[in-house]
Amino acid sequence: MLFYPTLFLGLLYFKIFRVRRKLEKKAVGTTLEGFFANTALAVIVLFGSLSEPWYLLLTTVVGMNIMASLMVTAVQLGIFIDGKPLLGLSQLYKVMPLLAMVVISGSVGTVTINYLG
C-alpha cells in the first residue's frame, strides 16, 4: 500500500520545509515546491480520511508526525563523529526537491490507483 509511506514522507517533508522557512530567506522556487508538496500532503490526508477509519488515521498521523519531528530535531542537534557533523541541514535541503517529487508522485499514484482501479 502506497498510502502510509507517502504519508510519512509528506510529513517529513513538511517538517523540513518548516525548518528551512524559519532559517532561510524565501525563494520563489522553494515556495512553489513547498506549495505543490504540501498540497499533495493535504490531498493524501483527505484521501485517508475518506478511505481509512478516523481513529486509525489519527493515530498514524500523530505517530508519524512525532517520528518526523524527532528525526529533524536529531539532525538539527547534530550527529558528530570525530568533531565533524555526520549529517547536516544543508544536506537535507539538497534532498528536498527529490522528496517533494516522491510525495507528489506518491499521492497522485495512491489516489489514481484507488479511484481508477
Side-chain angles (χ1 to χ4, degrees):
M1 187 170 198
L2 193 58
F3 174 70
Y4 292 108
T6 304
L7 181 64
F8 176 70
L9 291 175
L11 290 171
L12 183 63
Y13 178 84
F14 181 70
K15 291 295 180 181
I16 296 170
F17 179 75
R18 285 184 57 205
V19 169
R20 186 174 189 180
R21 189 180 66 192
K22 287 182 182 180
L23 295 178
E24 292 185 354
K25 294 180 182 177
K26 293 180 182 178
V28 176
T30 306
T31 305
L32 193 60
E33 170 192 316
F35 173 74
F36 286 125
N38 292 329
T39 303
L41 177 62
V43 166
I44 200 79
V45 169
L46 179 65
F47 170 76
S49 68
L50 296 174
S51 64
E52 299 289 327
W54 67 270
Y55 52 89
L56 182 63
L57 182 68
L58 183 65
T59 56
T60 304
V61 167
V62 169
M64 288 182 178
N65 197 9
I66 290 170
M67 285 191 301
S69 296
L70 290 175
M71 289 171 68
V72 171
T73 302
V75 171
Q76 282 180 319
L77 292 176
I79 302 168
F80 294 95
I81 296 178
D82 294 331
K84 295 180 182 178
L86 179 66
L87 181 67
L89 284 175
S90 61
Q91 293 171 340
L92 281 182
Y93 295 158
K94 291 178 186 175
V95 179
M96 280 185 69
L98 178 64
L99 191 59
M101 185 181 70
V102 168
V103 169
I104 292 168
S105 62
S107 64
V108 168
T110 300
V111 172
T112 55
I113 286 171
N114 287 307
Y115 283 125
L116 296 180

